[in-house]
Amino acid sequence: MQSGISASQELHTAFNTLVSSENQRGLLCTITKESLTPLAVLSPATSSFSDDLSLLAPHLQPNVALYIILRRYPSSESAPFVAVTYVPDSAPVRQKMLFASTRLTLVRELGIERFRETIFATTKEELTPQGFEKHDKHVTLEAPLTEEEQTLGDVKRKEAEEGRGMNERRSHVSSGVSMPITDEALKALKGLAGEGESDLVQLKINIATETMELASSTSTPISSLSSTISSTEPRYSFYRYTHTYNGTSSSPILFIYTCPSGSKIKERMLYAASSRSAIQVAEAEAGLKVEKKIEASSPDDISEESIDGDLHPKVEVKKAFERPKRPGRK
C-alpha cells in the first residue's frame, strides 16, 4: 500500500545538506498536504550518537507521527543513515495509516543506498540510547537494508537504477523498496505455485527484524479455512481454492489479508504498509498469479459463500423496458 505522496524539493535540499554537514546529527520530516517536507534539523552533532539522541527528545510528542533521519554511522561509510518512522499509539488513526504507507517512499526518494536500516517506533523509549541498544540485540548489521546496500554495491555507477531491480530474493514493488522474505517462506509459496500437497500458506511479519516469515503451510479444505487462519495475529494467507462453478473446475490463488481488531498498533501499521509487498514477492519470486485479493478484520468473515461471491459475482439481468399499453386497448 502506497500513499502517492512524494518528497518535496525542500526535503531533498535539507537532506543533501545533512549528507554533507558533519555538524548535523539528523533531520526531522513530516507530511504536509501531498509532500514529505523537512521539519527541523538536529544539531550540533558530537562524536557520540547516544549523547546526541538528547537532541531528539524535545521533538517527540505522544500524539504526533514523525519521520526521523539519523546519521548513526561514520560518513565515510556508504550507508551512514537510519530512517525512523515514529508513530505513537495516541496519534490520530488517519495519521498513523498515512505515515505507515509513506515510510518506504521516504527512503526510496532520498536514495536507498544511503540508509543502513529502517526502524518503526511507537514510543519515546525506543529512541533512547537504551532503546537502540535493545534494537541492536534483535537486528545485526546485516539487516534488510544492509543486504540491499550490498546488492546495490554498484549503485553509484548505476544511479539511474537507484532503488530498483534487486537481483536478490526479496519482494519487488514499484516503489523499489520492500520487505525481505525468508527462504522457508519463499519455498512454501513456490510449493503452492507448483500445486504441491499444501494449499494454504500463511505468512507473518517478524516485527523486530521487519521480515516476512512462514507461519504455516497446510492442506486446508474451504470449510476449515476461517478456523485455520490465525484469529489473534495479522496474517497474509495465500490459498489455492480448487472448486467447481457452473460445471467448470478451477484453482485460483487467493490473497487473504486478515488483521484482527485486537492486533497491536505496530503490527497493524506494518502489515497495512507491506501487503502489496507480500503479493509482489509471491508473483515475482514464487511464480504465483493472485486472482483475487480479500481483506477482512477477522477470519470469521471469510467463508465459502463470501469467496464464491467475490470470484463469481451474480450478474443482474435487467428486463427489457416494456412500453405501457395505450388505454382502451387489449
Side-chain angles (χ1 to χ4, degrees):
M1 184 177 69
Q2 296 294 313
S3 62
I5 291 173
S6 60
S8 66
Q9 184 56 51
E10 290 79 10
L11 179 58
H12 281 288
T13 300
F15 181 66
N16 289 335
T17 301
L18 173 64
V19 171
S20 60
S21 301
E22 292 285 342
N23 67 330
Q24 293 185 3
R25 174 58 67 183
L27 177 65
L28 306 184
C29 318
T30 188
I31 298 175
T32 305
K33 295 183 179 179
E34 297 299 319
S35 298
L36 289 162
T37 57
L39 193 61
V41 173
L42 300 179
S43 64
T46 68
S47 59
S48 171
F49 173 78
S50 294
D51 290 348
D52 288 349
L53 287 176
S54 61
L55 297 171
L56 177 60
H59 298 280
L60 300 178
Q61 301 180 45
N63 58 353
V64 178
L66 194 65
Y67 291 123
I68 306 162
I69 299 173
L70 296 173
R71 186 197 310 274
R72 191 178 184 194
Y73 304 99
S75 297
S76 57
E77 297 188 17
S78 58
F81 298 100
V82 295
V84 179
T85 300
Y86 173 64
V87 182
D89 291 345
S90 299
V93 173
R94 184 179 181 281
Q95 189 179 83
K96 292 177 183 177
M97 298 304 297
L98 191 60
F99 271 73
S101 62
T102 309
R103 60 195 293 264
L104 301 182
T105 300
L106 174 72
V107 180
R108 172 180 62 84
E109 296 211 4
L110 295 182
I112 185 66
E113 81 282 2
R114 296 186 184 279
F115 293 87
R116 180 73 63 91
E117 61 181 331
T118 59
I119 299 174
F120 198 104
T122 58
T123 65
K124 295 180 179 180
E125 288 72 26
E126 293 176 82
L127 301 178
T128 62
Q130 296 76 19
F132 273 94
E133 182 179 353
K134 184 177 180 180
H135 169 76
D136 290 342
K137 290 180 180 179
H138 290 291
V139 185
T140 65
L141 290 180
E142 286 71 41
L145 282 178
T146 300
E147 294 174 9
E148 195 156 16
E149 173 205 342
Q150 292 172 351
T151 301
L152 297 175
D154 61 344
V155 69
K156 293 186 181 298
R157 297 189 301 272
K158 296 182 178 182
E159 291 185 355
E161 299 177 9
E162 181 178 301
R164 296 167 18 198
M166 313 302 166
N167 291 320
E168 62 182 331
R169 171 196 43 74
R170 66 176 57 242
S171 50
H172 298 255
V173 295
S174 59
S175 67
V177 183
S178 55
M179 181 172 289
I181 183 172
T182 64
D183 289 321
E184 183 184 27
L186 185 61
K187 182 178 179 181
L189 289 175
K190 288 182 177 179
L192 192 63
E195 297 190 0
E197 295 182 2
S198 299
D199 52 20
L200 174 63
V201 173
Q202 295 186 62
L203 302 184
K204 63 181 180 180
I205 293 179
N206 183 317
I207 303 301
T209 62
E210 295 193 13
T211 302
M212 284 188 288
E213 300 178 345
L214 179 65
S216 66
S217 179
T218 58
S219 177
T220 305
I222 186 66
S223 59
S224 302
L225 182 61
S226 62
S227 60
T228 303
I229 296 176
S230 175
S231 60
T232 58
E233 297 179 345
R235 285 288 185 269
Y236 297 141
S237 300
F238 293 85
Y239 185 57
R240 186 173 65 243
Y241 180 34
T242 301
H243 68 295
T244 301
Y245 183 79
N246 283 349
T248 302
S249 297
S250 62
S251 299
I253 298 296
L254 312 179
F255 171 74
I256 305 171
Y257 165 39
T258 50
C259 188
S261 57
S263 303
K264 297 178 181 178
I265 185 62
K266 193 167 185 177
E267 290 179 330
R268 298 172 72 87
M269 295 300 101
L270 279 179
Y271 276 86
S274 306
S275 61
R276 185 178 179 184
S277 181
I279 295 174
Q280 290 284 348
V281 73
E283 295 184 333
E285 303 296 334
L288 292 176
K289 181 182 178 181
V290 175
E291 299 285 349
K292 193 68 180 179
K293 303 166 189 175
I294 300 172
E295 293 189 15
S297 296
S298 169
D300 293 334
D301 298 331
I302 302 168
S303 65
E304 182 175 2
E305 292 74 22
S306 66
I307 291 177
D308 285 342
D310 286 335
L311 288 174
H312 313 288
K314 293 181 179 180
V315 179
E316 183 180 351
V317 179
K318 295 184 178 180
K319 293 182 178 181
F321 175 75
E322 295 183 1
R323 179 175 295 177
K325 293 180 180 181
R326 292 178 60 183
R329 282 197 165 188
K330 295 184 179 179

